[in-house]
Structure formats: C-alpha cells, structure tokens
Amino acid sequence: MLAQHTPLLVAPTDTTALGTAMVEPEAVLSDAPTYAPEAAGFLLLLALVSPKEPKEPKGK
Amino acid sequence: MVAEHVERADDPKAALAAIRVVGADAFAPYLLADAVFHPQDAAAVTQSFALFPPPVTTPDPPPAGAAEPWLVAWRDWAMATLLARLTDAEPGGALAPRPTGAPVLTEADQPQGGGDTDGQDPGADAPDDSGRTDTDWQRWSVRMGQLSPLALPGLEGPVHTAARAAPLALARGATRAVLRRDFPTAARITRWLALLAAEGTRVPLDPVPLLEHLRLHGGGPRLALDVAIARRLLALETA
C-alpha cells in the first residue's frame, strides 16, 4: 500500500482539522422560508404582467 | 474498497483522515450489501488509527466534558468495534475505547416554545460547552445526528438506547432540520429513524418519503451516503 511506504507526518493542526471534520455540526444559519405578506402584492403584479403562454403555430 | 481509496489518493494522509471522517459508515457496504472485506481494507483502517490515534482515555460526556471530543470518541469506537468484528479480532482488542454516556434529553414530549423562530440565528442555539443546558429536543437531535455513524446494525450501546427511548424527539429534529433546509443534518437524524423502523419500532414520522425528499434535494456526497445507508436499512435498496 502506498501509504505504508510513504513517511507521513501529522501536525497538531491536522489532528484539530480532523476532529472538526468528524463533529459535523448543524448548519449555522437557517435557510427556512420566512413569511412575507408584503410580497403578495408583488407576486400578484408579476402574475398580471407576465406574458401569455406561447401557442402552437398553426398550419404545421 | 477502503484500501483502494488510499492507494489511489494523491495525498495518503488526507485519504487516511477521510477514512476517519467517514467513520463506521465505511463498513456499510460490508454490513448492508455484498461487498467483500479484504485484509488490505483492515490494514488501511488500522493505519488511519495509527496515524491519528484516538485518546487513550475517553473524554467525559457533556456537560462534564466538552461535546466535540466525546462525539469523536463515540465515532471512533463505532469504527473500531466494527473493524474488530469484521476481522474477528479478540474481544477488547478494539483500537478505540468505548466512551460513556449518551446525549441527554429532557422534556422529550414537551414542545418548547415552538422551536426556532423565523429570522433568528439558530446558531445561537447550537450546542455549546458554556455550561448552558443543552438537553432539549432541538439540540439533542442534532447531537444524535452527529452520532449517526452509530446507526448501523451490529452496534449497540447507550446511544442506541437513547434513540429508542425518544423516537418523537428524533422525528421533531428531522422535521426541524428539513424546515431549516439543513438537509445533511436531516439525513443524519433520519438514519436513526430508519434504524428504529427497521427494528420494528413505531416512529411518528415515516422515514421513507422523507428520505426520498432528501435524496431529490441532494446536498453533497455525505448526504448521499447517509440517505443510501438509511434506504438500505429500510430495505428500499437491495441491488
């Protein structure tokens, strides 16, 4: 095995980094959607001004 | 499989460290599928323990001791125990000692203020070691998720007893993680739900559609591994 024939030196920072990687904490920030009632009017406006669905061209 | 990973790596030290990060889950193909465990795989794991030796004495469980080294000690124990089992090592010959204690949960059936509130930084509620009690279901479930590599067949201990005693807290924790869109944490906690369901315990949240939701969302290789193991536990994948 390659690793058995390669001198490997471990620094204290390596051990610290390994310990940190093994702990796997939860995400610090939540990405949960928040309730935003003021967005309702904006969404309605977008729905009204959005272009119509394209129609299938006839005669083909 | 494990030895091949080390052999092909450009940085053997990082490869050996990665084995420890994956932990007992590195043995999942041998426990849950038909992969053949070779002596070279055992040698790679043993070398990982030699290069990054676990502490000789086990750290005190929180709140008496810090949480992080205690979590690492449990994960090391899980890996060492499964290695000893797969290699038919003598009892007591594991490479890491068994820690004591399990995540402590209080008021398991009492919702506490509805959990996180919108707009607040949940990191402020993260488990810490400042002496603050962290035994509510939110922090407890996160800690159980951090111990998810123990949610494998062939392992038994106080952590498993704690999981069996509180399926509702696990279900709440998994739901909370999904709502936070912290899908890796959700997958880790769901593994415990899958293990309990596989054991025949009634769980208040069906892990099957939850796993499908997490699988479709994705979130990196670690989440994919957790979901794959949970699906294997539930016999959703057999090929």
Side-chain angles (χ1 to χ4, degrees), chain A residues 1-4 6 8-10 14-15 18-19 21-35, chain B residues 6-7 13 16-17 20-21 40 47 51-52 75-76 121-123 142 146 176 179-182 185 188 222:
Chain A
M1 195 187 307
L2 175 66
Q4 290 176 331
T6 309
L8 298 173
L9 298 174
V10 176
D14 294 335
T15 308
L18 175 60
M22 288 176 72
V23 170
E24 295 182 329
E26 71 170 343
V28 175
L29 294 176
S30 170
D31 192 24
T34 54
Y35 178 56
Chain B
V6 178
E7 190 69 33
K13 187 170 70 174
L16 291 169
R20 296 288 287 287
V21 173
Q40 286 184 331
Q47 193 179 9
L51 191 62
F52 300 99
R75 293 169 66 118
D76 280 340
D121 176 12
V142 169
Q146 290 172 298
R176 170 180 174 267
L179 290 174
R180 294 182 76 232
R181 303 194 197 191
D182 184 0
T185 296
R188 289 195 283 266
R222 182 71 220 198

Side-chain angles (χ1 to χ4, degrees), chain B residues 42-102:
Chain B
V45 176
T46 304
Q47 193 179 9
S48 175
F49 273 91
L51 191 62
F52 300 99
V56 178
T57 57
T58 57
D60 290 331
E68 284 76 12
W70 180 74
L71 292 167
V72 170
W74 266 120
R75 293 169 66 118
D76 280 340
W77 169 81
M79 188 167 207
T81 301
L82 289 179
L83 175 67
R85 182 161 303 172
L86 288 169
T87 55
D88 295 327
E90 295 177 2
L95 295 169
R98 176 172 152 162
T100 57

Side-chain angles (χ1 to χ4, degrees), chain B residues 66-159:
Chain B
E68 284 76 12
W70 180 74
L71 292 167
V72 170
W74 266 120
R75 293 169 66 118
D76 280 340
W77 169 81
M79 188 167 207
T81 301
L82 289 179
L83 175 67
R85 182 161 303 172
L86 288 169
T87 55
D88 295 327
E90 295 177 2
L95 295 169
R98 176 172 152 162
T100 57
V104 177
L105 173 68
T106 55
E107 302 180 44
D109 296 323
Q110 297 296 324
Q112 299 182 1
D116 287 342
T117 53
D118 292 339
Q120 287 189 344
D121 176 12
D125 291 337
D128 65 11
D129 307 310
S130 61
R132 187 175 59 178
T133 56
D134 54 358
T135 55
D136 55 14
W137 63 265
Q138 292 95 333
R139 299 181 184 92
W140 179 85
S141 59
V142 169
R143 196 157 284 176
M144 290 297 290
Q146 290 172 298
L147 293 170
S148 65
L150 276 67
L152 282 172
L155 292 173
E156 189 59 52
V159 180

